[in-house]
Amino acid sequence: GALAAFFGVPLGGSLFALEVASRFGVEYFEHSMEAIFAGLICVVAFRSLAGLELEQIWATQDSPTILHCEPSKILLGLVLGCVGGFLAFLWANFHWRLMGLFGRLGLLDDNNTRALPRALVGSIGIISIGMLIPHTMVSCTRSE
């Protein structure tokens, strides 16, 4: 809730707090509704006690509200949100299949006795991605 109030966004702050505490992905997923609700209550309480309106944090005179938006842009946001949700579903599915593979290979344990082989398998995967798509491995910019 505190992160939601700090950032001013109940959904993002709550999910970020769940993500930070997670070790293997969405292990706290079953608590997401409670976290989002708590984040919403925290945002409303904070903004009310601070005497602030319930609006986006970085509001300017030119910032449109949802009442002033074109319906086509709202529908576009809905479509993009659904596409993003579907991509998240694919990513989570890939993640759990990968965790299943790691489990079958005996690379997952609670004592981290298999951490080195797990890191080697992960590095082989990252290097393979880098060889297929080289520009994903560059982390600097060229200034001329």
Side-chain angles (χ1 to χ4, degrees), residues 41-54:
I41 297 298
C42 286
V43 168
V44 170
F46 169 72
R47 307 273 302 172
S48 299
L49 291 172
L52 302 170
E53 294 185 29
L54 289 173

Side-chain angles (χ1 to χ4, degrees), residues 55-101:
E55 62 183 3
Q56 63 265 32
I57 292 178
W58 296 280
T60 64
Q61 296 296 331
D62 300 330
S63 297
T65 63
I66 196 164
L67 300 174
H68 299 103
C69 286
E70 298 173 27
S72 62
K73 290 186 179 180
I74 294 173
L75 289 175
L76 176 63
L78 175 70
V79 169
L80 291 176
C82 290
V83 168
F86 181 69
L87 290 174
F89 168 76
L90 291 177
W91 178 256
N93 195 4
F94 166 74
H95 171 76
W96 288 115
R97 288 177 188 262
L98 186 63
M99 288 290 108
L101 175 65

Side-chain angles (χ1 to χ4, degrees), residues 117-136:
R118 186 172 55 238
L120 288 173
V121 170
S123 64
I124 289 169
I126 291 172
I127 290 170
S128 299
I129 291 171
M131 291 174 70
L132 293 172
I133 312 168
H135 63 276
T136 61

